[in-house]
Amino acid sequence: MPTSFTVVPVEAQGEERGPAERDGQRQEEEEEEDERDRGSGDGIARESSPFINNAEMDRENMYEGKNMALFEEEMDSNPMVSSLLNKLANYTNLTQGVVEHEADEDSKRKEVKVPRMGTFIGVYLPCLQNILGVILFLRLTWIVGTAGVLESFIIVFMCCACTMLTAISMSAIATNGVVPAGGSYYMISRSLGPEFGGAVGLCFYLGTTFAGAMYILGTIEILLTYISPSAAIFKAEEVGDETEAMLNNMRVYGTCIITLMAIVVFVGVKYVNKLALVFLACVILSIIAIYAGVIKTAFDPPDFPICLLGNRTLSKRTFDVCAKFTESNNETKTTTLWRLFCDSPFLNATCDDYFSLNNVTEIQGIPGIMSGVLTDNLWSSYSEKGSIVEKKDQPSVAGSEETKMSGLPYVFTDIMTYFTMLVGIYFPSVTGIMAGSNRSGDLKDAQKSIPTGTILAISTTSFIYLSCIVLFGACIEGVILRDKFGEAVNGNLVVGTLAWPSPWVIVIGSFFSTCGAGLQSLTGAPRLLQAIARDGIVPFIQVFGHGKANGEPTWALLLTAGICEIGILIASLDSVAPILSMFFLMCYMFVNLACAVQTLLRTPNWRPRFKYYHWTLSFLGMSLCLALMFICSWYYALIAMLIAGCIYKYIEYRGAEKEWGDGIRGLSLNAARYALLRVEDGPPHTKNWRPQLLVLLNLDSEQLVKHPRLLSFTSQLKAGKGLTIVGSVLQGIFLDKCTETQKAEENVKSLMGVEKTKGFCQIVVSPNFRDGISYLIQSAGLGGMKHNTVLMAWPQSWKQTENRFSWKNFVDTVRETTAAQQALLVAKNIDLFPTNQERFTEGNIDVWWIVHDGGMLMLLPFLLRQHKVWRKCKMRIFTVAQMDDNSIQMKKDLQMFLYHLRLNAEVEVVEMFENDISAFTYEKTLMMEQRSQMLKQMQLSKNEREREAQLIHDRNTASHSAPVVKASVAAAVPEKVQMTWTKEKFVAEKHKTKDSNVSGFKDIFNMKPEWGNLNQSNVRRMHTAVKLNGVVLNKSQHAQLVLLNMPGPPKNRKGDENYMEFLEVLTEGLDRVLLVRGSGREVITIYS
């Protein structure tokens, strides 16, 4: 039978509070939470995300629902699902730049809900308003006339395709989670990381700022050219100075307008937003007027006659009658036009040659859509600067070439025109696609509205632009289209001549729309800069994050006005347009890159709601943006890239560390994985071999590094190349040592930063020290990126009885590196090694090459001398000749070998005589064996061990001190070194040895009976160590660094402590020694 269950929640402990008390507490908690969300005292606003700082929530909130006691302990780090959903539902998106203002009016925000906008009002119309603008009204007719309908169609199609592809990529990013206000900057920085985000964000900011300058210049051009030409301050004093006078007028008026607009924005942005609808209405009415005018031309073309002299277009600003002379009362009178070309008003005057040979004709400027003028306007008509605008199919008789044309009323071109330049001028007219994403915080459903609204707006504007190109080409005469300032039509705006009911509809509409666009650029750009500054990724612009009490970006507005002024001082709209094209194209390129990277990486978090995207579209959009950058202007493109590159590197080196889960990090991981799988195939070729180091550090009880100079030496040896793993072992159990492990890792990493050691840190916790080192040697690294060389410090305190395991660990490490076929470097007296700041101005790096184990001894000095510390040191190579070696031939062979290795070094061959074993050697061996015996008695108690050690020491020093001193002095005197062996020398040396030492041996053994019991193998080894040490001291005592072959430990483990003594004797008296034990494989080659 069915059973019904009732869930009864467990009552909260403690007394139940009253409603007022609960409300008061809740309000305090909310205020504290708001305070935490605003920042942590550094003035940088934190992201308002439900997934951030969830560990800091109050415990009452964490433990709501006590019936989940099973998971109670996990609630410290993981919130209850109910709490998480509650925070998600209450998620609010503050508009960037007004955080303080919102915090001040917190209560109002709770009471009054902000009206949210839909797709049409929130995205479609703002995009429409930003895309349609100054270029459409002032330059599109000129572009059609110059490039022809076909090439203009290609220009517009390329630009619109670029923005459509970018909009698809942007839609995918914008619908992949919540996008706070900040638009493109936020999307790029969170997708590609802070470096790309900062670089592209600042480029986008500069583009928006220069767009403001362009709109202001457009406003002034409309004012001074079409509305009130008499308002010009500077007048052309001489013929031909009109352009310069116009530019100066632009600069003066532009500076005044930028100041006025900055004041308006400073006083109140709300007024700009209220006027936005008026400006939008102007744009829409102007476009409707154009289409109405086109329809009207089909049956009633407007009357705009053009005056032509031959095939040359004349400017009607200076005359009214288009004829050479007029007939009045049977009297022929010359016109104003005659006086402009002739030296007097009389019919017998001397006139311009071209004027005399050609007739003056008048044609209709706007023949209408049915006239068939489209075929004439299909092809391009590029020209040089200062050339006359001519009608192609009009008859013309060429005059003499010497005629001076300046001062004559022709319509001249003001700049040289070519296809790529027109692309640069046109592209700003398709920008503005980010308008919807920039206000995503004010949308009801940003993830639905942004893609729909943006793509619809681009489709609409693309249709308007493409149809306008065809309609302009089909309605307007070519010479009028190429007449940039409408001089042939009495100084009317060319688009205005086509519009219905009056040209003034377009003039006034375009004037207000450019004004509005300029104001909106000045409003949007400072907020974008403020958003970048508040993220804290670019240190030098953090000052621009501050503003008025209500969050208005005052300092950012001042900087924006200053940069805008630079654009206004350039003064030419045609020069400013390509600059902002670069910055916008770069921004769009990185939006496409961000989408392509995220799609190809298939990161788990990449789940856009907008599904109609593909990485190939993003890649195509990115390629198109890059191509357009170089098509517009290759040098501007390089400058824009240089600016972005400098900002990128600056953020990389000086910027704040940010982890935003960006795609570049994912890309790096994928690239690393791919490279690791490629490297896995086998060991590197000898030519590619370099020491990949595992540096074994010792830590003290405070988890601090005992020998920091080991890391200095590492960075000097590596110079940032290859793999470096810095490892250390903590003794204990990992569960108990978690905190110490983290602390040790932080300490090691901070020291690596100080010493500029580029690599990875790995701390291992092991029950005993020796096993920990073994784990590191076996498992450090990944795949093909494993170490091949171990670097460690010599255990200075190995003789101390308290540290009885240090020498055993050391010898076992030597054995394990040999077993793992890895090289071993042991730095003795590591604390005497130089820091990275020291510089050796002279001195030698001496290499004692005794046995060949792969040539590592040759390679290490070469690598060290790449670093500034060792750069001025010379390299010397010493090798030891045996009794039957030819020293001279050895030296020649070694010099030839070094020549083939491309190494510069002095070569010296040292001969060692096979003479008797000195008393000093016997004494050293005896002390060594006695110490070995002492170390074996470790089972005694500590006090007994110390007493035993003291006894042995006292007995030795009392009975043997004098002979030892004498022997030491004798051994320290250097042997006479011969350069080569001859038969006579060999025989003489043999007899000398035999004669002089038979009695000597007897005397010594009579004097020291205990010497006879010594292990002869140990005596021989000690003899070699003492002799070699004497030779090395003689040659290399003052060398900056001595590199020696490190002999391997004995196979029989009983002699391990003796091995340590041999190494100690071998390196005695030397300041800086690097013992090198090769892996056996060749690491250096003579082949290229």
Side-chain angles (χ1 to χ4, degrees):
M1 60 183 286
T3 309
S4 61
F5 291 94
T6 306
V7 180
V8 181
V10 179
E11 286 185 10
Q13 294 177 359
E15 293 179 8
E16 188 173 340
R17 295 181 175 87
E21 192 177 346
R22 278 201 307 271
D23 288 345
Q25 189 195 12
R26 194 180 296 117
Q27 191 172 355
E28 285 173 13
E29 286 171 1
E30 284 171 352
E31 284 172 5
E32 285 172 11
E33 194 172 332
D34 283 345
E35 193 65 32
R36 281 198 302 272
D37 285 344
R38 276 204 298 276
S40 55
D42 57 359
I44 298 168
R46 297 288 178 258
E47 291 173 284
S48 175
S49 168
F51 303 104
I52 294 175
N53 296 334
N54 49 28
E56 295 176 12
M57 290 165 66
D58 295 331
R59 284 188 181 271
E60 283 87 14
N61 294 338
M62 299 288 280
Y63 293 156
E64 55 179 330
K66 290 285 189 175
N67 51 349
M68 299 300 286
L70 181 62
F71 297 96
E72 199 169 274
E73 289 187 355
E74 293 188 10
M75 287 181 209
D76 290 336
S77 56
N78 304 321
M80 287 284 289
V81 175
S82 56
S83 312
L84 181 65
L85 291 174
N86 186 38
K87 274 185 75 75
L88 271 170
N90 295 332
Y91 177 69
T92 56
N93 205 333
L94 300 180
T95 308
Q96 262 181 344
V98 292
V99 180
E100 295 93 338
H101 180 60
E102 290 288 343
D104 290 340
E105 300 185 358
D106 196 52
S107 55
K108 290 181 188 175
R109 182 164 58 87
K110 284 173 188 170
E111 290 166 14
V112 183
K113 289 205 170 184
V114 181
R116 298 286 180 169
M117 293 182 286
T119 306
F120 187 73
I121 298 290
V123 181
Y124 181 75
L125 290 180
C127 284
L128 209 64
Q129 184 180 355
N130 277 267
I131 296 170
L132 299 169
V134 63
I135 301 292
L136 170 64
F137 302 121
L138 294 183
R139 293 289 182 272
L140 192 59
T141 51
W142 173 70
I143 290 170
V144 173
T146 308
V149 171
L150 292 178
E151 286 184 30
S152 300
F153 200 89
I154 291 168
I155 291 172
V156 174
F157 183 78
M158 273 199 309
C159 296
C160 291
C162 174
T163 53
M164 180 59 85
L165 291 168
T166 305
I168 291 168
S169 299
M170 185 191 75
S171 299
I173 299 170
T175 57
N176 186 51
V178 179
V179 178
S184 57
Y185 161 68
Y186 186 92
M187 288 190 289
I188 294 167
S189 61
R190 269 53 174 185
S191 298
L192 293 180
E195 293 89 0
F196 277 111
V200 179
L202 285 175
C203 282
F204 190 55
Y205 162 74
L206 289 171
T208 311
T209 307
F210 273 105
M214 184 187 75
Y215 290 130
I216 291 167
L217 291 173
T219 306
I220 303 159
E221 187 176 308
I222 293 166
L223 177 70
L224 295 182
T225 311
Y226 308 114
I227 296 175
S228 177
S230 58
I233 298 169
F234 297 91
K235 309 282 184 184
E237 293 178 0
E238 293 180 17
V239 177
D241 290 349
E242 293 87 354
T243 307
E244 190 58 41
M246 184 64 178
L247 293 179
N248 288 330
N249 285 318
M250 290 271 199
R251 292 181 183 115
V252 174
Y253 274 95
T255 307
C256 296
I257 290 178
I258 186 73
T259 310
L260 190 66
M261 284 187 174
I263 291 167
V264 169
V265 172
F266 179 76
V267 168
V269 182
K270 58 184 178 182
Y271 302 117
V272 179
N273 291 334
K274 282 177 182 175
L275 287 169
L277 207 57
V278 177
F279 300 140
L280 177 63
C282 291
V283 174
I284 293 170
L285 282 172
S286 300
I287 290 165
I288 291 168
I290 292 170
Y291 281 110
V294 169
I295 294 165
K296 184 175 175 290
T297 61
F299 51 86
D300 183 18
D303 182 32
F304 277 101
I306 313 167
C307 193
L308 298 177
L309 175 62
N311 65 351
R312 297 178 180 178
T313 315
L314 297 175
S315 170
K316 290 186 92 172
R317 286 180 187 270
T318 49
F319 65 94
D320 47 359
V321 179
C322 182
K324 293 184 180 180
F325 35 78
T326 57
E327 294 282 341
S328 172
N329 299 325
N330 293 325
E331 187 181 347
T332 304
K333 290 184 179 178
T334 56
T335 59
T336 311
L337 183 62
W338 177 280
R339 297 187 194 99
L340 290 169
F341 281 93
C342 302
D343 57 0
S344 75
F346 304 110
L347 290 170
N348 59 354
T350 306
C351 293
D352 177 75
D353 198 20
Y354 188 85
F355 182 75
S356 304
L357 294 170
N358 290 277
N359 293 324
V360 176
T361 53
E362 197 169 54
I363 61 169
Q364 274 302 323
I366 301 177
I369 198 166
M370 308 302 287
S371 63
V373 76
L374 179 63
T375 51
D376 297 335
N377 293 332
L378 278 178
W379 311 110
S380 61
S381 180
Y382 300 118
S383 57
E384 295 290 326
K385 182 181 178 180
S387 58
I388 299 170
V389 176
E390 298 176 343
K391 183 168 168 56
K392 295 173 191 172
D393 54 354
Q394 192 76 6
S396 169
V397 180
S400 62
E401 295 294 327
E402 292 126 16
T403 310
K404 188 182 176 186
M405 293 200 197
S406 61
L408 298 177
Y410 293 124
V411 176
F412 295 98
T413 55
D414 62 334
I415 53 173
M416 188 173 75
T417 51
Y418 43 92
F419 180 81
T420 56
M421 187 207 72
L422 295 180
V423 176
I425 291 174
Y426 173 74
F427 188 80
S429 66
V430 295
T431 60
I433 62 171
M434 300 287 185
S437 63
N438 285 349
R439 62 185 68 203
S440 57
D442 301 326
L443 300 172
K444 278 181 195 167
D445 184 0
Q447 298 195 359
K448 181 185 169 189
S449 296
I450 289 174
T452 313
T454 307
I455 291 170
L456 271 176
I458 292 173
S459 304
T460 308
T461 51
S462 300
F463 171 76
I464 290 169
Y465 281 129
L466 292 169
S467 62
C468 278
I469 283 172
V470 177
L471 295 174
F472 290 164
C475 294
I476 306 174
E477 184 60 57
V479 287
I480 296 251
L481 288 172
R482 291 195 294 282
D483 180 6
K484 189 189 283 186
F485 302 110
E487 291 179 39
V489 283
N490 301 322
N492 277 302
L493 182 61
V494 176
V495 187
T497 59
L498 184 64
W500 179 87
S502 164
W504 285 101
V505 175
I506 298 281
V507 173
I508 302 300
S510 60
F511 178 77
F512 280 115
S513 78
T514 48
C515 267
L519 272 172
Q520 286 187 326
S521 294
L522 280 182
T523 309
R527 274 167 177 65
L528 181 60
L529 183 63
Q530 189 182 44
I532 300 167
R534 286 192 168 175
D535 259 342
I537 56 171
V538 188
F540 73 87
I541 65 163
Q542 282 189 340
V543 65
F544 300 110
H546 308 302
K548 289 197 291 187
N550 64 348
E552 288 300 316
T554 313
W555 293 107
L557 177 62
L558 285 173
L559 180 70
T560 305
I563 297 170
C564 214
E565 179 63 21
I566 294 170
I568 283 162
L569 291 176
I570 294 171
S572 169
L573 191 144
D574 301 319
S575 302
V576 172
I579 297 173
L580 67 104
S581 293
M582 288 305 123
F583 291 125
F584 277 119
L585 278 165
M586 184 167 284
C587 177
Y588 296 166
M589 182 173 76
F590 281 104
V591 169
N592 284 301
L593 175 65
C595 182
V597 165
Q598 298 277 34
T599 309
L600 288 171
L601 287 177
R602 295 194 184 94
T603 48
N605 190 50
W606 180 246
R607 303 184 298 275
R609 289 201 176 278
F610 180 77
K611 299 297 179 189
Y612 306 102
Y613 69 94
H614 195 266
W615 69 267
T616 50
L617 292 176
S618 300
F619 191 77
L620 182 64
M622 186 181 75
S623 308
L624 194 54
C625 288
L626 189 64
L628 282 173
M629 282 177 74
F630 282 93
I631 286 171
C632 292
S633 171
W634 64 267
Y635 47 90
Y636 276 164
L638 292 176
I639 291 167
M641 285 179 166
L642 183 67
I643 291 169
C646 291
I647 297 167
Y648 179 95
K649 296 309 286 183
Y650 177 81
I651 295 170
E652 190 178 48
Y653 285 112
R654 296 292 306 278
E657 286 292 326
K658 298 280 181 185
E659 179 49 69
W660 286 333
D662 51 86
I664 291 296
R665 184 172 174 78
L667 194 63
S668 303
L669 288 169
N670 261 25
R673 173 183 158 276
Y674 175 76
L676 281 170
L677 291 172
R678 290 288 302 275
V679 173
E680 184 71 50
D681 295 335
H685 191 273
T686 305
K687 288 187 282 188
N688 296 329
W689 195 94
R690 65 164 65 245
Q692 316 286 11
L693 290 182
L694 168 63
V695 185
L696 297 176
L697 293 179
N698 287 328
L699 304 177
D700 59 19
S701 57
E702 297 294 317
Q703 316 308 335
L704 296 170
V705 178
K706 281 186 181 176
H707 303 294
R709 297 286 177 93
L710 200 60
L711 284 180
S712 306
F713 183 67
T714 304
S715 59
Q716 291 159 25
L717 185 62
K718 299 290 290 177
K721 304 290 190 300
L723 174 72
T724 303
I725 302 170
V726 180
S728 190
V729 178
L730 295 181
Q731 207 161 341
I733 297 166
F734 182 65
L735 287 175
D736 302 334
K737 293 275 184 180
C738 282
T739 314
E740 287 93 327
T741 308
Q742 287 177 354
K743 185 181 175 186
E745 196 166 336
E746 285 170 13
N747 291 341
V748 171
K749 280 183 177 175
S750 66
L751 185 63
M752 286 171 72
V754 170
E755 298 294 345
K756 297 180 180 172
T757 307
K758 294 180 180 177
F760 309 98
C761 173
Q762 194 165 347
I763 307 292
V764 171
V765 180
S766 170
N768 77 55
F769 193 76
R770 184 205 169 288
D771 287 348
I773 290 178
S774 178
Y775 300 155
L776 276 173
I777 290 172
Q778 290 176 66
S779 62
L782 180 66
M785 283 295 279
K786 287 183 73 70
H787 61 280
N788 54 27
T789 306
V790 177
L791 171 64
M792 61 191 298
W794 172 263
Q796 299 287 1
S797 57
W798 71 272
K799 292 182 184 179
Q800 295 173 11
T801 50
E802 303 86 43
N803 201 11
R804 64 180 187 271
F805 291 117
S806 74
W807 58 273
K808 280 194 175 179
N809 292 336
F810 177 79
V811 178
D812 283 339
T813 304
V814 177
R815 284 199 176 97
E816 282 178 355
T817 52
T818 308
Q821 295 184 325
Q822 293 170 4
L824 177 67
L825 309 177
V826 179
K828 194 171 180 213
N829 302 327
I830 186 63
D831 295 327
L832 298 177
F833 275 60
T835 62
N836 289 328
Q837 284 70 44
E838 292 179 46
R839 303 283 181 273
F840 288 131
T841 52
E842 56 182 0
N844 300 309
I845 299 175
D846 286 357
V847 176
W848 285 84
W849 192 25
I850 298 159
V851 291
H852 180 66
D853 54 1
M856 199 168 172
L857 274 170
M858 311 287 189
L859 190 60
L860 291 174
F862 170 76
L863 294 173
L864 277 174
R865 288 180 66 226
Q866 307 298 308
H867 197 274
K868 335 183 225 205
V869 173
W870 305 92
R871 191 164 290 157
K872 295 191 177 176
C873 293
K874 292 179 181 175
M875 181 176 164
R876 299 194 299 181
I877 296 184
F878 297 91
T879 190
V880 177
Q882 302 293 321
M883 293 290 283
D884 51 353
D885 290 332
N886 184 338
S887 309
I888 293 172
Q889 190 59 42
M890 272 181 76
K891 184 172 182 179
K892 284 181 181 175
D893 291 345
L894 184 54
Q895 283 172 335
M896 183 56 67
F897 181 56
L898 288 175
Y899 175 77
H900 285 309
L901 287 176
R902 289 93 63 203
L903 294 174
N904 296 321
E906 293 178 25
V907 174
E908 198 165 332
V909 179
V910 177
E911 295 170 347
M912 282 177 60
F913 298 117
E914 188 62 42
N915 56 357
D916 332 320
I917 298 169
S918 65
F920 176 67
T921 305
Y922 278 107
E923 193 59 41
K924 273 278 186 188
T925 313
L926 179 65
M927 288 175 70
M928 177 184 75
E929 290 199 351
Q930 285 172 340
R931 184 182 289 109
S932 173
Q933 186 184 358
M934 178 182 72
L935 290 170
K936 283 172 186 170
Q937 295 175 345
M938 288 302 178
Q939 63 270 26
L940 301 172
S941 69
K942 187 178 179 184
N943 290 336
E944 288 173 323
R945 284 204 307 272
E946 286 176 359
R947 198 161 52 246
E948 183 76 20
Q950 191 61 43
L951 211 108
I952 293 169
H953 181 264
D954 291 346
R955 188 166 67 243
N956 283 334
T957 50
S959 56
H960 313 314
S961 57
V964 169
V965 171
K966 285 178 188 173
S968 310
V969 173
V973 175
E975 298 280 349
K976 186 179 178 188
V977 177
Q978 303 290 336
M979 265 314 291
T980 190
W981 289 97
T982 60
K983 190 175 178 184
E984 291 78 13
K985 276 187 191 176
F986 178 70
V987 172
E989 189 65 34
K990 199 172 176 183
H991 285 300
K992 178 181 160 189
T993 304
K994 202 178 285 182
D995 295 342
S996 61
N997 285 299
V998 171
S999 58
F1001 267 129
K1002 286 178 183 173
D1003 291 342
I1004 288 168
F1005 280 115
N1006 289 337
M1007 202 163 64
K1008 299 282 191 305
E1010 62 269 30
W1011 287 359
N1013 301 325
L1014 293 173
N1015 182 330
Q1016 287 306 304
S1017 172
N1018 285 346
V1019 172
R1020 220 157 25 80
R1021 286 171 187 272
M1022 186 60 77
H1023 174 62
T1024 306
V1026 170
K1027 290 288 293 173
L1028 197 53
N1029 177 252
V1031 174
V1032 173
L1033 272 176
N1034 180 38
K1035 296 286 181 183
S1036 303
Q1037 190 162 17
H1038 301 295
Q1040 303 292 9
L1041 179 65
V1042 177
L1043 283 84
L1044 269 169
N1045 277 117
M1046 181 179 179
K1051 292 179 181 175
N1052 183 4
R1053 287 176 178 273
K1054 291 179 182 175
D1056 283 358
E1057 61 275 12
N1058 298 344
Y1059 172 67
M1060 297 295 289
E1061 191 69 54
F1062 293 142
L1063 293 180
E1064 193 73 70
V1065 170
L1066 183 63
T1067 55
E1068 204 169 4
L1070 296 169
D1071 286 342
R1072 302 183 196 91
V1073 184
L1074 188 66
L1075 293 168
V1076 181
R1077 182 161 175 74
S1079 60
R1081 63 160 290 167
E1082 289 294 333
V1083 301
I1084 193 165
T1085 178
I1086 63 172
Y1087 300 107
S1088 63

